[in-house]
Amino acid sequence: MSVTGEMLIGATALRGGDSEIRATNPATGEKMDPAFGGGGAAEVDRACALAAAAFDTYSNTAPEQRAAFLEACAQGIMEIGDELIERACAESGLPRGRIEGERARTVGQLRLFASVVREGSWIEARIDPAMPARQPLPRSDLRQRHVALGPVAVFGASNFPLAFSVGGGDTASALAAGCPVVVKAHSAHPGTSELVGRAIQKAVQQCGLPEGVFSLLFGNGGTLGSALVADPRIKAVGFTGSRSGGTALMKIAANRPEPIPVHAEMSSINPVFLLPGAMAKRAEAIGKGFVGSLTMGAGQFCTNPGLVLGVEDDRLKTFLDASRAALEASGAQTMLTPGIYKAYEEGVSRLSTNNRVETVAEGQPGPGPYQGRAALFTTTAQHFNEDETLLEEVFGASSLVVRCPDVDTMLAVAERLEGQLTATILMEPEDLELAKQLVPVLERKVGRILVNGYPTGVEVGHAMVHGGPFPSTSDSRTTSVGSLAIRRFLRPVCYQDFPQDLLPESLRDGNPLGLWRRTDGELGKN
Amino acid sequence: MSVTGEMLIGATALRGGDSEIRATNPATGEKMDPAFGGGGAAEVDRACALAAAAFDTYSNTAPEQRAAFLEACAQGIMEIGDELIERACAESGLPRGRIEGERARTVGQLRLFASVVREGSWIEARIDPAMPARQPLPRSDLRQRHVALGPVAVFGASNFPLAFSVGGGDTASALAAGCPVVVKAHSAHPGTSELVGRAIQKAVQQCGLPEGVFSLLFGNGGTLGSALVADPRIKAVGFTGSRSGGTALMKIAANRPEPIPVHAEMSSINPVFLLPGAMAKRAEAIGKGFVGSLTMGAGQFCTNPGLVLGVEDDRLKTFLDASRAALEASGAQTMLTPGIYKAYEEGVSRLSTNNRVETVAEGQPGPGPYQGRAALFTTTAQHFNEDETLLEEVFGASSLVVRCPDVDTMLAVAERLEGQLTATILMEPEDLELAKQLVPVLERKVGRILVNGYPTGVEVGHAMVHGGPFPSTSDSRTTSVGSLAIRRFLRPVCYQDFPQDLLPESLRDGNPLGLWRRTDGELGKN
């Protein structure tokens, strides 16, 4: 395979004429070949028309056929081989080991959703059998299943060029639900996007599916991206990125003649709570571990720990000393894009010039043009409460330690936080009573609560929640990582008094698909 | 109990001073006593503050305690006795039998949700056990459950003064999920609202729950209702009513600093498809049955069949003749409110003066001031396609028969429809192939598809879907009737590496609550 700079619209490849997009190698600052042609209204229209045309067929594929397609996508991504790894490294500045790991996660995710599709619980089949003799009125035969919402627009994220991009979690879960997908590629990694897109395009063809099941567009977010979300054939949106980008899509979706759900994963500062018992035992080790999590991947994770809360005492001083030492020794890392580097530098500069904030440490400078240096700041709880800007995410390896006079203040600060993807509690058994006070506060504000770990590193499984109240996401009722993510793209339909041969197979008498079904509310395999 | 005209804010009752609200007996046109005092910003603030204060305690009640509370609400509503029936009849103009049936449905719904809470599947417990030896990285212990969203604002509907009002489906499902509820009563039935509200207030006290679990406000929808949805402590909205009312709440919710989900059930014309085989066998019987469904309850149902599609031939003529005869014999019925009567008269008048539409029949006039007469109209498919206003709901017993030249046109008209709560197919076995073409179109647009029945009459069970794509609701991913409605008010939270004694009981080792849980994706009782 080689990168051509073309969009993929159904089975075809074509060069957009509305704009020119080039990736920048952030390690060197050099523009990369080839130039990509960005599309416009005509390409959005064509991709959406094909997606709508594919919907009835694709959404009614048998579980086995759909699962095999997801596995073919995974296989195709692996078969690109080293070209994909090299292109993704060059476009993102991320090291080879990380990109190889991310590829494993991406194909693992596609395979997980294949297994979810086969297992079939996502259908949530329910049967309330007819009761013709019931008084005062007979009951009809009622059967419920979940069906796909419709074509889904997916926006690739900058910070995971594979796992949250063209073939990432949003695409995998939407395809698993039976929704055709139109991806708007992130302009930071167009080559990676095209390579993965071609693998999916090929899988569509190999599996004999309608071409409109998948399209890949390049272009400007404000024009092409907005047009995609506004298109009446699109029925849901998946997005991972900035708060401003996500809320802009939310507005467009809410103002359509037919409003649609947006699943935007946006902004989170991921508070870390240092409880006294843990600090008494291991303040130094916690400081080191924290800096390891903070600086991983140049801090460019949604779950990066951007806020630390502790009680101001000698142990916190030990924590800060250990953090300072670790952070000052940390090397600079290439950031994903010039824009992200610039925003990070501005965020760090806002903190370092804020009168309410003290700088604890800065990491080592680096040789390239977009080298992010980690940064650690501290402030008091009182200052933190006075300044709303301190609640804002600085995307990158920057964190703020809030020194609280006591644990009650720590709880009060927790109450002030906005919605978060994660919160972390560092504790020992003697902190249990305090943790029991903290957890209900966090449950209201957070999608995932960790004990004695660090929030970076998101497991792809059944129990994961990568979500949370606004602004961490636009819709806290779901997750964008893990098998529950399929539910974002489903809706229930009830079939009343249907003859057997008109019913979908999942709801027929005798349970031909062998599903878990709920009969009069009772779960069973009958 | 007697009706005082007071609002119920937590454990207190107080008279609002912002406006005066009086019910009108629509059968006589007379204003009813007492006058109700409408509230304002201060009462919204107080109710929301109490709801927020109650949240941590109420959302963490054990399943048994919460179920007992729902049953106490049901019991309390029954214990009001005849005063409730008489007041609801007087305020709504609905006959006694209907109100008694609606009360049975309302308490049945509360008891259904009690059983749902006890059964516990709504928690959706998931456990991915730790894998400390996994390569290249160990896996943490991850456990997921669903928790309550937060305080919910519920808007009472005019057309079901019990089942979709103060103690109706939205309240029952939100309370079942663990959410405190603040109800904004519908101004058409304030006395009914107060009586039911006092029963719930008493149940809160009897069950030893925090007073903020339930409040009942009276007031203007545009001011008090808007303030309630805008209050930062409210985390979701349940509404049943008009398209304009629902979309207004959607806008307010979307424009909050923290946008929240709105579950508005709004507008549906509930198309009925007359397939040729069925028409050949029983066109006359279908006409009679259709008019029975159309005129039930003066047509004041969300699922009233407002659109009929058939192929223009002699059988359709037979159907129209039978419908005409039945409809002309139908008596006028008291409509719910002067406003609903006026809107219905205007809607019928728009149709009867529309050049593209012919009047088939009108029902008998009635003696009172707000007597709705059923009305049936017809048009051609071509005219129907030319005039978008014909897609609009006329709330009441009005319907439009669209004469299609052939079945392909019928399918094409189906494609043009907006989202609907229901669609109905009248068919015989020989219509199966045509029905198989129609069902995928309807699955995209409809929450419930019926064969050989009529859409009025919504069963409260596990398999029901009372929902559908916009504009029938604001969020097609759920239902407002049936046990799945609880999901509207839940969100997942993941607990990573929690010690056993900090975990919620539902997720502890040994499954102390005996729940269905998913372990590494496998459903079981372990």
Side-chain angles (χ1 to χ4, degrees):
Chain A
M1 238 185 273
S2 69
V3 176
T4 65
E6 290 170 312
M7 293 185 288
L8 307 174
I9 300 188
T12 63
L14 64 88
R15 168 164 290 276
D18 283 46
S19 59
E20 189 181 280
I21 294 156
R22 266 175 195 272
T24 298
N25 182 327
T28 62
E30 283 165 11
K31 295 277 183 192
M32 292 175 67
D33 281 329
F36 286 72
E43 288 78 20
V44 168
D45 179 66
R46 179 83 186 123
C48 292
L50 285 174
F55 180 75
D56 285 357
T57 300
Y58 182 63
S59 63
N60 282 299
T61 45
E64 179 51 41
Q65 190 186 4
R66 210 184 297 167
F69 165 56
L70 291 166
E71 288 166 343
C73 292
Q75 183 64 21
I77 290 169
M78 288 310 296
E79 283 171 3
I80 306 168
D82 226 40
E83 185 183 3
L84 179 63
I85 302 295
E86 283 164 12
R87 184 85 199 185
C89 290
E91 288 184 333
S92 68
L94 293 168
R96 187 177 183 99
R98 151 71 194 270
I99 290 293
E100 284 176 344
E102 192 180 325
R103 179 178 64 178
R105 173 178 169 168
T106 305
V107 301
Q109 199 158 246
L110 285 158
R111 288 174 181 143
L112 172 70
F113 279 108
S115 75
V116 166
V117 169
R118 280 198 185 92
E119 195 267 349
S121 286
W122 60 275
I123 295 170
E124 296 194 66
R126 293 174 171 218
I127 300 177
D128 293 346
M131 297 167 70
R134 190 182 65 172
Q135 292 299 328
L137 288 170
R139 181 170 84 178
S140 291
D141 179 279
L142 294 160
R143 303 184 187 222
Q144 183 189 115
R145 68 162 176 164
H146 277 67
V147 302
L149 268 188
V152 172
V154 170
F155 287 75
S158 63
N159 61 337
F160 281 87
L162 298 172
F164 282 82
S165 190
V166 178
D170 286 342
T171 298
S173 54
L175 290 175
C179 298
V181 168
V182 180
V183 176
K184 191 275 182 197
H186 198 285
S187 298
H189 54 265
T192 307
S193 297
E194 186 190 327
L195 289 170
V196 172
R198 286 189 182 270
I200 299 176
Q201 184 187 52
K202 195 171 150 201
V204 170
Q205 194 217 329
Q206 280 173 340
C207 295
L209 296 171
E211 59 172 327
V213 167
F214 176 80
S215 288
L216 173 65
L217 303 175
F218 297 109
N220 180 279
T223 52
L224 180 134
S226 300
L228 182 58
V229 173
D231 190 283
R233 291 157 295 200
I234 294 296
K235 300 299 182 191
V237 178
F239 169 89
T240 299
S242 68
R243 183 168 181 169
S244 59
T247 51
L249 297 185
M250 289 168 70
K251 294 268 182 234
I252 295 168
N255 290 319
R256 288 166 44 124
E258 179 196 1
I260 54 171
V262 172
H263 296 287
E265 192 254 274
M266 298 180 288
S267 172
S268 184
I269 56 175
N270 304 298
V272 176
F273 294 86
L274 309 175
L275 303 202
M279 291 294 275
K281 281 210 181 126
R282 47 193 170 95
E284 186 176 347
I286 290 172
K288 278 187 199 165
F290 158 70
V291 171
S293 175
L294 176 66
T295 57
M296 188 189 291
Q300 299 166 122
F301 294 113
C302 318
T303 55
N304 192 60
L307 187 72
V308 180
L309 296 112
V311 175
E312 180 149 31
D313 58 13
D314 285 352
R315 294 142 188 181
L316 191 64
K317 195 173 166 303
T318 304
F319 165 85
L320 285 168
D321 288 344
S323 297
R324 180 185 299 113
L327 200 134
E328 285 180 344
S330 70
Q333 293 173 77
T334 305
M335 295 196 76
L336 288 158
T337 70
I340 286 172
Y341 170 77
K342 182 160 171 276
Y344 176 69
E345 286 289 303
E346 287 168 359
V348 166
S349 165
R350 270 199 310 278
L351 287 167
S352 63
T353 58
N354 186 321
N355 287 336
R356 293 191 178 89
V357 172
E358 302 147 52
T359 301
V360 176
E362 264 198 295
Q364 296 294 315
Y370 308 117
Q371 299 287 304
R373 299 166 67 183
L376 186 62
F377 302 94
T378 185
T379 189
T380 63
Q382 191 185 332
H383 281 154
F384 184 74
N385 287 336
E386 288 164 3
D387 187 346
E388 294 226 331
T389 67
L390 298 179
L391 290 167
E392 288 166 16
E393 182 183 16
V394 176
F395 189 73
S398 166
S399 194
L400 175 65
V401 179
V402 178
R403 308 188 309 274
C404 303
D406 48 41
V407 293
D408 286 344
T409 306
M410 199 193 287
L411 288 168
V413 172
E415 277 289 0
R416 275 195 67 237
L417 297 175
E418 296 185 291
Q420 306 290 342
L421 294 171
T422 73
T424 300
I425 303 171
L426 291 155
M427 64 178 282
E428 289 290 321
E430 53 269 35
D431 294 313
L432 187 65
E433 289 313 307
L434 177 56
K436 282 183 176 175
Q437 288 179 268
L438 184 56
V439 167
V441 180
L442 299 180
E443 281 173 335
R444 277 190 265 119
K445 294 170 179 281
V446 167
R448 178 167 54 113
I449 311 173
L450 303 82
V451 168
N452 291 335
Y454 293 100
T456 43
V458 179
E459 185 72 37
V460 181
H462 298 282
M464 175 51 63
V465 177
H466 191 61
F470 186 89
S472 69
T473 78
S474 54
D475 188 340
S476 69
R477 291 168 299 170
T478 60
T479 171
S480 71
V481 174
S483 59
L484 189 69
I486 192 174
R487 190 175 288 164
R488 300 180 294 173
F489 304 115
L490 295 167
R491 45 174 276 264
V493 172
C494 174
Y495 303 82
Q496 181 168 330
D497 290 331
F498 263 49
Q500 285 292 314
D501 41 10
L502 192 58
L503 274 173
E505 214 179 353
S506 54
L507 296 179
R508 286 190 193 157
D509 289 349
N511 197 8
L513 295 182
L515 299 171
W516 284 103
R517 309 200 293 188
R518 209 169 270 282
T519 305
D520 264 332
E522 281 277 320
L523 205 54
K525 285 252 184 180
N526 47 318
Chain B
M1 237 186 275
S2 67
V3 176
T4 65
E6 291 169 313
M7 294 184 287
L8 308 174
I9 300 188
T12 63
L14 64 88
R15 169 164 289 276
D18 283 46
S19 59
E20 189 182 278
I21 294 155
R22 267 175 193 273
T24 298
N25 181 328
T28 63
E30 283 165 11
K31 294 278 181 192
M32 292 174 68
D33 281 329
F36 286 73
E43 287 78 20
V44 168
D45 179 65
R46 179 84 186 123
C48 293
L50 286 174
F55 180 76
D56 285 358
T57 300
Y58 182 63
S59 64
N60 282 300
T61 46
E64 179 52 41
Q65 190 186 3
R66 210 184 296 167
F69 166 56
L70 291 166
E71 287 166 344
C73 293
Q75 182 64 21
I77 290 170
M78 287 310 297
E79 284 170 3
I80 307 167
D82 226 39
E83 186 183 3
L84 180 63
I85 302 295
E86 281 164 14
R87 183 86 199 184
C89 289
E91 288 185 332
S92 69
L94 293 168
R96 188 179 181 96
R98 152 68 195 272
I99 290 293
E100 284 177 343
E102 193 180 324
R103 180 178 62 177
R105 173 178 169 167
T106 305
V107 301
Q109 201 157 247
L110 285 158
R111 290 174 180 143
L112 172 70
F113 278 108
S115 76
V116 166
V117 169
R118 280 198 184 92
E119 195 267 349
S121 285
W122 60 274
I123 296 169
E124 297 194 65
R126 293 173 170 218
I127 300 177
D128 293 346
M131 296 167 72
R134 190 182 64 173
Q135 293 298 329
L137 289 170
R139 182 171 83 177
S140 292
D141 179 278
L142 294 160
R143 304 185 186 219
Q144 183 189 114
R145 67 163 178 164
H146 277 67
V147 302
L149 267 188
V152 172
V154 170
F155 287 75
S158 63
N159 62 337
F160 281 86
L162 298 171
F164 282 83
S165 191
V166 178
D170 285 344
T171 298
S173 54
L175 291 176
C179 299
V181 167
V182 181
V183 175
K184 191 271 178 200
H186 198 284
S187 299
H189 53 267
T192 308
S193 297
E194 186 190 328
L195 288 170
V196 172
R198 285 190 182 270
I200 299 176
Q201 186 187 50
K202 195 171 150 205
V204 170
Q205 195 216 327
Q206 280 174 339
C207 295
L209 296 172
E211 58 171 328
V213 166
F214 176 79
S215 290
L216 173 65
L217 302 175
F218 297 110
N220 181 279
T223 53
L224 181 135
S226 300
L228 181 59
V229 173
D231 191 283
R233 290 157 296 200
I234 294 295
K235 300 301 183 191
V237 178
F239 169 90
T240 299
S242 69
R243 183 168 181 169
S244 59
T247 51
L249 297 185
M250 290 168 70
K251 295 268 183 235
I252 295 167
N255 289 322
R256 287 166 46 121
E258 179 195 1
I260 54 171
V262 173
H263 296 287
E265 192 255 274
M266 300 180 286
S267 171
S268 182
I269 55 175
N270 303 297
V272 176
F273 294 86
L274 309 174
L275 303 201
M279 291 294 274
K281 281 210 182 126
R282 47 192 172 98
E284 187 176 347
I286 291 172
K288 278 187 198 164
F290 158 69
V291 171
S293 175
L294 176 66
T295 56
M296 186 188 292
Q300 299 167 123
F301 294 114
C302 317
T303 55
N304 193 58
L307 187 72
V308 181
L309 296 113
V311 175
E312 180 149 31
D313 57 15
D314 284 352
R315 295 143 187 178
L316 191 65
K317 197 172 165 304
T318 304
F319 166 85
L320 284 168
D321 288 343
S323 299
R324 179 185 300 113
L327 199 134
E328 285 179 345
S330 70
Q333 293 173 76
T334 305
M335 296 195 79
L336 289 158
T337 70
I340 286 173
Y341 170 78
K342 182 158 172 276
Y344 176 69
E345 286 288 304
E346 287 168 358
V348 165
S349 164
R350 270 199 311 278
L351 286 167
S352 63
T353 57
N354 186 321
N355 287 335
R356 292 191 178 90
V357 172
E358 302 146 51
T359 301
V360 176
E362 265 199 293
Q364 296 294 317
Y370 308 118
Q371 299 287 304
R373 300 166 65 184
L376 187 62
F377 301 94
T378 185
T379 188
T380 62
Q382 191 185 331
H383 280 153
F384 183 75
N385 287 336
E386 287 164 3
D387 187 346
E388 295 226 330
T389 68
L390 298 179
L391 290 168
E392 288 167 16
E393 181 183 15
V394 176
F395 189 73
S398 166
S399 193
L400 175 65
V401 179
V402 178
R403 308 188 307 275
C404 303
D406 48 42
V407 294
D408 287 345
T409 305
M410 198 193 290
L411 289 167
V413 172
E415 278 288 1
R416 275 194 68 237
L417 297 175
E418 295 184 292
Q420 306 289 341
L421 293 172
T422 74
T424 300
I425 303 171
L426 291 154
M427 63 177 284
E428 289 290 320
E430 54 267 35
D431 294 314
L432 186 65
E433 289 313 308
L434 176 56
K436 283 184 174 173
Q437 287 179 269
L438 184 56
V439 166
V441 180
L442 299 180
E443 281 172 336
R444 277 189 265 118
K445 293 171 180 280
V446 167
R448 177 168 56 113
I449 311 173
L450 303 83
V451 168
N452 291 336
Y454 292 100
T456 43
V458 179
E459 185 72 37
V460 181
H462 298 282
M464 175 52 63
V465 177
H466 191 62
F470 186 89
S472 69
T473 79
S474 54
D475 189 338
S476 69
R477 290 168 300 170
T478 61
T479 171
S480 70
V481 175
S483 60
L484 189 70
I486 193 174
R487 190 175 289 163
R488 298 180 295 171
F489 304 115
L490 295 167
R491 43 173 277 264
V493 172
C494 173
Y495 303 82
Q496 181 169 329
D497 290 332
F498 263 48
Q500 285 293 312
D501 40 10
L502 192 58
L503 273 173
E505 214 180 354
S506 54
L507 296 179
R508 286 190 194 157
D509 289 349
N511 196 8
L513 296 182
L515 300 171
W516 284 102
R517 311 200 291 189
R518 209 169 271 283
T519 305
D520 264 333
E522 282 276 321
L523 207 53
K525 285 253 183 177
N526 46 317

